[in-house]
Amino acid sequence: MHHVLLIDDDQPLTALFADFLRQEGFRVSCRHDGASGCELALRQQVDIVVLDIMMPGMDGIAVLRELRAQGTVPVLMLSARGDAVDRILGLELGADDYVAKPCPPRELSARIKAILRRTAVLQVGSPPAAMVVGSLTLQPERREARWLDQPLSLTGIEYNLLEVLARHAGRVVSKRQLSEQALGRDLERFDRSIDVHISSIRQKLPRQADGQSRILTIRGMGYQLLKD
């Protein structure tokens, strides 16, 4: 039973989400302020945090900063439709995905399951072989990435995206493919989450000798990871 932590000051909405998720087979904990939610997330073993951005006191962005400073627990952000800047900031700080409020409980559950699948929380079976692309090595069974034997600090979704690009190294991968294979959902119109995550990965990968990124943007088509 996977443990979901809901952090949102909207108590009726949180109760609605919690009831639905429990029916879906999740263990659910709820906190209605950022400080106590952050404390619980760091103190207990939770599989995913669903985190509202707009909260009094310690808001969702501050909670996310603290969580990312101390670990890699998957984080799904909840945001009002007008909070585009905060959504992008959340992704840049390492959130795995976001959902705009109001959000149907079924969609929230589907997003949670997609993130858990992609971060291997729900996966079982034989460990896949390591992937090597030039100086980059990916260990799918441990979800680790290394460059010349130095670890790369990636969030869950960043690892997913890099793995998809590595599997198609030297070829262009469309944003639709990346969304489906790395985020576990269809690409939505005006969704910039892929671009934000790719930008973060670029900052963590060493650049080429000429200073250019190892991940190319192919306008109108997608992204390409160079083989070397």
Side-chain angles (χ1 to χ4, degrees):
M1 183 178 293
H2 301 287
H3 189 183
V4 179
L5 172 59
L6 302 176
I7 307 176
D8 193 329
D9 63 330
D10 187 335
Q11 297 191 29
L13 181 63
T14 303
L16 175 65
F17 286 158
D19 288 344
F20 186 88
L21 291 173
R22 290 185 180 111
Q23 293 175 25
E24 292 280 284
F26 291 101
R27 175 188 171 198
V28 182
S29 297
C30 302
R31 291 295 183 272
H32 303 298
D33 65 273
S36 65
C38 185
E39 188 273 336
L40 179 61
L42 295 174
R43 174 169 52 84
Q44 288 192 16
Q45 178 64 44
V46 298
D47 295 309
I48 188 168
V49 175
V50 179
L51 177 63
D52 186 32
I53 291 179
M54 299 299 295
M55 290 185 291
M58 188 178 191
D59 65 12
I61 296 299
V63 173
L64 179 60
R65 288 183 190 275
E66 188 67 22
L67 295 180
R68 282 293 167 262
Q70 301 195 44
T72 59
V73 61
V75 175
L76 174 64
M77 303 292 288
L78 293 174
S79 68
R81 293 191 183 278
D83 295 335
V85 173
D86 285 336
R87 288 201 300 267
I88 293 171
L89 178 58
L91 293 171
E92 290 176 338
L93 291 174
D96 293 274
D97 201 357
Y98 67 83
V99 174
K101 297 168 67 175
C103 167
R106 188 172 299 280
E107 180 183 354
L108 180 67
S109 176
R111 293 292 186 94
I112 289 172
K113 291 175 182 177
I115 292 173
L116 293 176
R117 282 196 302 270
R118 297 307 305 170
T119 52
V121 175
L122 300 179
Q123 292 179 355
V124 295
S126 301
M131 289 187 292
V132 179
V133 180
S135 300
L136 175 67
T137 301
L138 300 178
Q139 296 283 356
E141 76 278 11
R142 296 197 299 269
R143 297 181 57 76
E144 292 179 355
R146 290 180 172 270
W147 184 270
L148 292 176
D149 207 36
Q150 294 300 310
L152 299 175
S153 180
L154 303 174
T155 67
I157 291 298
E158 288 170 1
Y159 177 87
N160 295 343
L161 288 165
L162 186 56
E163 182 178 308
V164 174
L165 289 171
R167 292 186 186 280
H168 300 84
R171 291 177 286 166
V172 179
V173 184
S174 71
K175 288 178 64 175
R176 183 170 300 280
Q177 286 177 281
L178 288 169
S179 184
E180 292 171 351
Q181 296 178 34
L183 273 63
R185 59 177 171 84
D186 293 336
L187 182 67
E188 300 174 355
R189 291 186 65 190
F190 312 117
D191 187 347
R192 288 198 56 205
S193 59
I194 296 289
D195 308 303
V196 175
H197 287 307
I198 292 293
S199 176
S200 179
I201 297 171
R202 280 174 168 152
Q203 296 176 34
K204 297 176 181 181
L205 283 176
R207 290 185 172 271
Q208 302 180 77
D210 61 3
Q212 297 299 307
S213 172
R214 297 180 183 276
I215 300 177
L216 302 181
T217 299
I218 310 301
R219 187 175 297 276
M221 298 180 64
Y223 294 99
Q224 177 185 6
L225 176 66
L226 298 179
K227 287 188 175 180
D228 203 336

